[in-house]
Amino acid sequence: MRMNRWKVVMLLILAFTLLIAGCSAMPNNQVKSTQKTEVATNTTEKASSEKMTGSPVNVKMATLSQGSSWYVYGATMANLFRKHLPDGSMVDVLPYSGGIGNVKLVAEKQAELALTFSVNNKWAYEGKVAYDKTFNNISALAGGFDQYYVGIIWRNEFAEKYGLKTIKDLKEKKVPVRLMTVNVGSQGEFAARQVFEANGLSYDEIKANGGSVTHTSFEVIQSAFQDGQADMFIQVMTKGHPSFTEIALTTPVTFVSLDDDVIEKLKSYGNEAATLPAGVYKGQDQPVKTVGFPTTVIVANDFPEELAYQMTKVLAESKAELEAGHKALSVFKPEDAWKPEKLGIPLHPGAEKYYKEKGWMK
């Protein structure tokens, strides 16, 4: 009988202990669950508040071929736009057609947005250089996303043979230079022509002096330098351009600076003076004075004003995300993205509204 009483007492003690443990644990679990719910709710509310309202929009953004820097830029920007555009919106990244062609795609309504260079915009707006008519139905959202340079190299052996210091020496000494560029009509080939023109030279004069001008692919140009079949190469580039990097690694070359008067002439085409810092490429121990231009985002003049405002806002307020997408975008300064020298054409009214609201533009 006594044993049964003890059993009852022990069972009661055990039940009481479990009850206390359960009661003490339950509030903590409920608090944790509530905290998680609050965090999730706050995050959702924040994301929703950044979302544009209204009907879904479908836009196409012209860039360049897959694998190019511009295609990566476009994909990065498209992802940012999708997060903020109304639900159901689509942003397609077109893998074509580059700075010169992209202007026409927007002007002719084959794309709503495009990546271009400021210099292309200026040429198109004025109907010169690469364009045989004016395209003044385009406007800009933002510019200054990166820094492109006109890169000029020649083989050290070639320069030493003829005692070359500047490009003007090619004309004065009638040097039979074997020049290589990319295909005719491309941004880099236009740059090559303009560099020679500003130095008083032409392709015909180079050929008359016994030289040659070859327009081909990057792969062929790299091989030609390695095999000693090329003397000089001109092309637009960013820091770390793969072809310039490969050539500099395999062939002793010099990155050639432009004379001050030549830079001034090239600025008349819409270029900006630009200096490539020392140490970007192997053997490039000194800064290189040249010209360059930044990447821009353009739309047609009749692009909806509120949409232009919101897209400009997304670009200007997403610097960290842009840089994470491509390191070349690290130089982007939203507070300067409206400046005329970064654009080459007028701002879209929607973009202008944003920059004025921020106090960056008066």
Short mmCIF file of all heavy atoms in Angstrom, two decimals, residues 314-351:
data_model
loop_
_atom_site.label_atom_id
_atom_site.label_comp_id
_atom_site.label_asym_id
_atom_site.label_seq_id
_atom_site.Cartn_x
_atom_site.Cartn_y
_atom_site.Cartn_z
N VAL A 314 15.79 54.05 -60.64
CA VAL A 314 16.35 52.72 -60.36
C VAL A 314 17.85 52.68 -60.65
O VAL A 314 18.64 52.20 -59.84
CB VAL A 314 15.62 51.64 -61.19
CG1 VAL A 314 16.36 50.31 -61.12
CG2 VAL A 314 14.19 51.47 -60.68
N LEU A 315 18.26 53.21 -61.79
CA LEU A 315 19.67 53.21 -62.16
C LEU A 315 20.50 54.05 -61.18
O LEU A 315 21.56 53.61 -60.72
CB LEU A 315 19.85 53.75 -63.58
CG LEU A 315 19.31 52.88 -64.71
CD1 LEU A 315 19.38 53.63 -66.04
CD2 LEU A 315 20.07 51.56 -64.81
N ALA A 316 20.00 55.23 -60.85
CA ALA A 316 20.76 56.14 -60.00
C ALA A 316 20.87 55.64 -58.57
O ALA A 316 21.86 55.93 -57.88
CB ALA A 316 20.11 57.52 -60.01
N GLU A 317 19.90 54.85 -58.11
CA GLU A 317 19.88 54.41 -56.72
C GLU A 317 20.29 52.95 -56.56
O GLU A 317 20.01 52.34 -55.52
CB GLU A 317 18.50 54.68 -56.14
CG GLU A 317 18.17 56.18 -56.13
CD GLU A 317 16.79 56.52 -55.58
OE1 GLU A 317 16.12 55.60 -55.04
OE2 GLU A 317 16.39 57.70 -55.67
N SER A 318 20.96 52.40 -57.56
CA SER A 318 21.37 51.00 -57.50
C SER A 318 22.85 50.83 -57.83
O SER A 318 23.26 49.85 -58.46
CB SER A 318 20.52 50.16 -58.47
OG SER A 318 19.15 50.28 -58.21
N LYS A 319 23.67 51.79 -57.44
CA LYS A 319 25.09 51.75 -57.78
C LYS A 319 25.76 50.46 -57.31
O LYS A 319 26.55 49.85 -58.04
CB LYS A 319 25.82 52.97 -57.21
CG LYS A 319 27.32 52.97 -57.50
CD LYS A 319 27.98 54.25 -57.03
CE LYS A 319 29.50 54.14 -57.05
NZ LYS A 319 30.05 53.84 -58.39
N ALA A 320 25.48 50.05 -56.08
CA ALA A 320 26.11 48.84 -55.54
C ALA A 320 25.75 47.62 -56.37
O ALA A 320 26.61 46.77 -56.66
CB ALA A 320 25.70 48.64 -54.08
N GLU A 321 24.48 47.50 -56.76
CA GLU A 321 24.05 46.36 -57.56
C GLU A 321 24.67 46.39 -58.96
O GLU A 321 25.02 45.36 -59.52
CB GLU A 321 22.52 46.35 -57.66
CG GLU A 321 21.81 46.03 -56.36
CD GLU A 321 21.52 47.27 -55.54
OE1 GLU A 321 22.19 48.32 -55.77
OE2 GLU A 321 20.64 47.21 -54.66
N LEU A 322 24.79 47.59 -59.53
CA LEU A 322 25.42 47.71 -60.85
C LEU A 322 26.88 47.27 -60.78
O LEU A 322 27.35 46.51 -61.63
CB LEU A 322 25.33 49.15 -61.34
CG LEU A 322 23.94 49.66 -61.73
CD1 LEU A 322 23.97 51.17 -61.98
CD2 LEU A 322 23.42 48.93 -62.97
N GLU A 323 27.59 47.73 -59.77
CA GLU A 323 29.00 47.38 -59.62
C GLU A 323 29.17 45.89 -59.38
O GLU A 323 30.12 45.27 -59.87
CB GLU A 323 29.61 48.17 -58.47
CG GLU A 323 31.10 47.97 -58.31
CD GLU A 323 31.71 48.87 -57.26
OE1 GLU A 323 31.03 49.80 -56.80
OE2 GLU A 323 32.88 48.64 -56.90
N ALA A 324 28.24 45.29 -58.65
CA ALA A 324 28.30 43.84 -58.41
C ALA A 324 28.10 43.07 -59.71
O ALA A 324 28.63 41.97 -59.89
CB ALA A 324 27.24 43.43 -57.39
N GLY A 325 27.33 43.66 -60.64
CA GLY A 325 27.10 43.00 -61.92
C GLY A 325 28.30 43.04 -62.84
O GLY A 325 28.59 42.08 -63.56
N HIS A 326 29.05 44.16 -62.83
CA HIS A 326 30.25 44.29 -63.66
C HIS A 326 31.13 45.37 -63.04
O HIS A 326 30.68 46.50 -62.83
CB HIS A 326 29.88 44.67 -65.09
CG HIS A 326 30.98 44.43 -66.09
ND1 HIS A 326 32.19 45.12 -66.04
CD2 HIS A 326 31.08 43.58 -67.14
CE1 HIS A 326 32.96 44.70 -67.03
NE2 HIS A 326 32.32 43.77 -67.71
N LYS A 327 32.38 45.04 -62.78
CA LYS A 327 33.26 45.97 -62.06
C LYS A 327 33.52 47.26 -62.84
O LYS A 327 33.85 48.29 -62.23
CB LYS A 327 34.59 45.30 -61.72
CG LYS A 327 35.42 44.87 -62.92
CD LYS A 327 36.71 44.19 -62.46
CE LYS A 327 37.59 43.79 -63.64
NZ LYS A 327 38.83 43.11 -63.19
N ALA A 328 33.38 47.23 -64.16
CA ALA A 328 33.59 48.46 -64.95
C ALA A 328 32.58 49.54 -64.59
O ALA A 328 32.83 50.73 -64.79
CB ALA A 328 33.53 48.15 -66.44
N LEU A 329 31.43 49.13 -64.02
CA LEU A 329 30.40 50.09 -63.64
C LEU A 329 30.71 50.78 -62.32
O LEU A 329 29.92 51.62 -61.86
CB LEU A 329 29.04 49.39 -63.57
CG LEU A 329 28.53 48.81 -64.90
CD1 LEU A 329 27.30 47.94 -64.67
CD2 LEU A 329 28.23 49.92 -65.89
N SER A 330 31.83 50.46 -61.72
CA SER A 330 32.19 51.06 -60.43
C SER A 330 32.46 52.56 -60.54
O SER A 330 32.40 53.28 -59.54
CB SER A 330 33.42 50.36 -59.82
OG SER A 330 34.55 50.53 -60.67
N VAL A 331 32.77 53.06 -61.74
CA VAL A 331 33.07 54.49 -61.90
C VAL A 331 31.80 55.33 -62.04
O VAL A 331 31.87 56.56 -62.07
CB VAL A 331 33.99 54.74 -63.13
CG1 VAL A 331 35.27 53.93 -63.01
CG2 VAL A 331 33.27 54.40 -64.43
N PHE A 332 30.65 54.70 -62.13
CA PHE A 332 29.38 55.40 -62.32
C PHE A 332 29.11 56.32 -61.13
O PHE A 332 29.14 55.91 -59.97
CB PHE A 332 28.25 54.39 -62.46
CG PHE A 332 26.88 54.99 -62.60
CD1 PHE A 332 26.62 55.98 -63.52
CD2 PHE A 332 25.84 54.54 -61.80
CE1 PHE A 332 25.35 56.53 -63.65
CE2 PHE A 332 24.56 55.07 -61.91
CZ PHE A 332 24.32 56.07 -62.84
N LYS A 333 28.85 57.60 -61.42
CA LYS A 333 28.51 58.59 -60.40
C LYS A 333 27.11 59.13 -60.72
O LYS A 333 26.96 59.97 -61.60
CB LYS A 333 29.52 59.73 -60.38
CG LYS A 333 30.91 59.31 -59.95
CD LYS A 333 31.86 60.52 -59.92
CE LYS A 333 33.26 60.11 -59.46
NZ LYS A 333 34.19 61.27 -59.45
N PRO A 334 26.10 58.64 -60.03
CA PRO A 334 24.73 59.06 -60.33
C PRO A 334 24.53 60.57 -60.33
O PRO A 334 23.77 61.10 -61.14
CB PRO A 334 23.90 58.40 -59.22
CG PRO A 334 24.71 57.20 -58.83
CD PRO A 334 26.14 57.63 -58.96
N GLU A 335 25.26 61.27 -59.44
CA GLU A 335 25.09 62.72 -59.36
C GLU A 335 25.61 63.45 -60.60
O GLU A 335 25.29 64.62 -60.83
CB GLU A 335 25.78 63.27 -58.11
CG GLU A 335 27.30 63.09 -58.08
CD GLU A 335 27.76 61.78 -57.48
OE1 GLU A 335 26.96 60.82 -57.46
OE2 GLU A 335 28.92 61.70 -57.05
N ASP A 336 26.42 62.75 -61.42
CA ASP A 336 26.94 63.34 -62.66
C ASP A 336 26.30 62.75 -63.91
O ASP A 336 26.65 63.15 -65.03
CB ASP A 336 28.46 63.11 -62.75
CG ASP A 336 29.24 63.87 -61.69
OD1 ASP A 336 28.70 64.87 -61.16
OD2 ASP A 336 30.38 63.46 -61.38
N ALA A 337 25.37 61.81 -63.73
CA ALA A 337 24.83 61.05 -64.86
C ALA A 337 24.01 61.89 -65.82
O ALA A 337 23.71 61.46 -66.93
CB ALA A 337 23.99 59.89 -64.35
N TRP A 338 23.65 63.11 -65.44
CA TRP A 338 22.83 63.98 -66.28
C TRP A 338 23.66 64.95 -67.12
O TRP A 338 23.12 65.61 -68.01
CB TRP A 338 21.92 64.83 -65.38
CG TRP A 338 22.70 65.68 -64.41
CD1 TRP A 338 23.13 65.33 -63.16
CD2 TRP A 338 23.17 67.01 -64.62
NE1 TRP A 338 23.83 66.35 -62.56
CE2 TRP A 338 23.87 67.40 -63.44
CE3 TRP A 338 23.07 67.92 -65.67
CZ2 TRP A 338 24.47 68.65 -63.31
CZ3 TRP A 338 23.67 69.17 -65.52
CH2 TRP A 338 24.35 69.52 -64.35
N LYS A 339 24.96 65.03 -66.85
CA LYS A 339 25.77 66.08 -67.47
C LYS A 339 25.90 65.87 -68.98
O LYS A 339 26.09 64.75 -69.45
CB LYS A 339 27.15 66.12 -66.81
CG LYS A 339 27.09 66.59 -65.36
CD LYS A 339 28.46 66.74 -64.75
CE LYS A 339 28.37 67.33 -63.33
NZ LYS A 339 29.69 67.50 -62.70
N PRO A 340 25.81 66.96 -69.75
CA PRO A 340 25.82 66.86 -71.22
C PRO A 340 27.00 66.09 -71.79
O PRO A 340 26.85 65.34 -72.75
CB PRO A 340 25.85 68.33 -71.66
CG PRO A 340 25.19 69.07 -70.54
CD PRO A 340 25.61 68.35 -69.29
N GLU A 341 28.20 66.28 -71.22
CA GLU A 341 29.38 65.59 -71.75
C GLU A 341 29.32 64.09 -71.52
O GLU A 341 30.06 63.33 -72.16
CB GLU A 341 30.65 66.16 -71.12
CG GLU A 341 30.81 65.95 -69.63
CD GLU A 341 30.23 67.08 -68.80
OE1 GLU A 341 29.36 67.83 -69.32
OE2 GLU A 341 30.65 67.21 -67.63
N LYS A 342 28.44 63.63 -70.63
CA LYS A 342 28.27 62.20 -70.40
C LYS A 342 27.23 61.58 -71.32
O LYS A 342 27.10 60.36 -71.38
CB LYS A 342 27.83 61.95 -68.95
CG LYS A 342 28.74 62.51 -67.88
CD LYS A 342 30.07 61.80 -67.85
CE LYS A 342 30.93 62.33 -66.70
NZ LYS A 342 32.29 61.72 -66.71
N LEU A 343 26.50 62.43 -72.05
CA LEU A 343 25.34 61.96 -72.80
C LEU A 343 25.44 62.14 -74.31
O LEU A 343 25.13 61.23 -75.07
CB LEU A 343 24.08 62.67 -72.30
CG LEU A 343 23.80 62.60 -70.80
CD1 LEU A 343 22.62 63.49 -70.45
CD2 LEU A 343 23.56 61.17 -70.36
N GLY A 344 25.82 63.34 -74.76
CA GLY A 344 25.90 63.62 -76.19
C GLY A 344 24.59 64.06 -76.80
O GLY A 344 24.55 64.52 -77.94
N ILE A 345 23.47 63.88 -76.06
CA ILE A 345 22.14 64.28 -76.52
C ILE A 345 21.37 64.82 -75.33
O ILE A 345 21.78 64.65 -74.18
CB ILE A 345 21.36 63.09 -77.15
CG1 ILE A 345 21.36 61.89 -76.19
CG2 ILE A 345 21.92 62.71 -78.50
CD1 ILE A 345 20.50 60.73 -76.65
N PRO A 346 20.21 65.45 -75.57
CA PRO A 346 19.41 65.97 -74.45
C PRO A 346 18.87 64.85 -73.55
O PRO A 346 18.72 63.70 -73.98
CB PRO A 346 18.26 66.71 -75.15
CG PRO A 346 18.77 67.02 -76.51
CD PRO A 346 19.67 65.88 -76.88
N LEU A 347 18.56 65.22 -72.32
CA LEU A 347 17.92 64.30 -71.39
C LEU A 347 16.44 64.13 -71.73
O LEU A 347 15.80 65.05 -72.26
CB LEU A 347 18.00 64.86 -69.97
CG LEU A 347 19.22 64.57 -69.13
CD1 LEU A 347 19.16 65.40 -67.85
CD2 LEU A 347 19.35 63.09 -68.79
N HIS A 348 15.92 62.96 -71.42
CA HIS A 348 14.48 62.76 -71.50
C HIS A 348 13.83 63.54 -70.36
O HIS A 348 14.38 63.63 -69.26
CB HIS A 348 14.16 61.27 -71.37
CG HIS A 348 12.73 60.93 -71.65
ND1 HIS A 348 11.71 61.16 -70.74
CD2 HIS A 348 12.13 60.39 -72.75
CE1 HIS A 348 10.57 60.77 -71.25
NE2 HIS A 348 10.79 60.30 -72.48
N PRO A 349 12.65 64.15 -70.58
CA PRO A 349 12.00 64.93 -69.52
C PRO A 349 11.80 64.16 -68.22
O PRO A 349 11.90 64.73 -67.12
CB PRO A 349 10.66 65.31 -70.15
CG PRO A 349 10.92 65.33 -71.62
CD PRO A 349 11.92 64.23 -71.85
N GLY A 350 11.51 62.86 -68.31
CA GLY A 350 11.33 62.06 -67.10
C GLY A 350 12.61 61.94 -66.31
O GLY A 350 12.61 62.00 -65.07
N ALA A 351 13.74 61.77 -67.00
CA ALA A 351 15.03 61.70 -66.34
C ALA A 351 15.39 63.06 -65.74
O ALA A 351 15.90 63.14 -64.61
CB ALA A 351 16.10 61.26 -67.33
#
